[in-house]
Amino acid sequence: MKRNRWIILLTVLAVAAGALGLAFARPGQAGPLPLSEAAGKVFEDLEDMTEYDEEEFFDIVGVAPEDYTEFIYCTGENEIGLVAREILIVRAKDKAAAERVRDALTAYHARRETETRSYAPDIYAMLEKSSVTVKGNTVVLIISTDSAAETAEFLQGE
């Protein structure tokens, strides 16, 4: 009788351990997608936008390379050639870096509002509706006609 209890107990433990192991080993559950792949699923126009490199990202926005593991900084022009649509997504290295990135994107956003207030009312209107959003170590600033919805859609996958 004692032997049967041990067999039942070991079987239950083995099944439980296997179930836990499977839960952690499911495909797609290993972590977030690479940033370019995750963004490509949400932003259909990403390939048509101008992409900026690490040096330009630092010079224009002020986010230091040591603060992130991945970033996307892309812009799109309006019908008269002004930078209108922007996608800035940063995966910061840690919480402190995410705070620095948030501060840099917030300052950039404020500069863009000041720059566009008097000469580009359509862009200024988009900026007024957009804001910097943080989820975990991911910091996002989407400037578009529907920035809140695009931000929420992207962050669902983060």
Side-chain angles (χ1 to χ4, degrees), residues 25-32:
R26 283 188 197 135
Q29 298 293 322

Side-chain angles (χ1 to χ4, degrees), residues 47-90:
E47 290 184 14
D48 300 328
M49 298 177 75
T50 301
E51 187 175 344
Y52 293 83
D53 65 23
E54 186 175 275
E55 187 175 317
E56 293 166 317
F57 186 46
F58 179 69
D59 289 345
I60 297 167
V61 182
V63 177
E66 57 269 10
D67 280 341
Y68 58 81
T69 58
E70 294 180 279
F71 80 94
I72 290 178
Y73 176 33
C74 295
T75 62
E77 297 176 350
N78 65 8
E79 56 280 345
I80 61 171
L82 297 175
V83 169
R85 176 165 171 64
E86 297 185 60
I87 298 173
L88 297 97
I89 306 170
V90 182

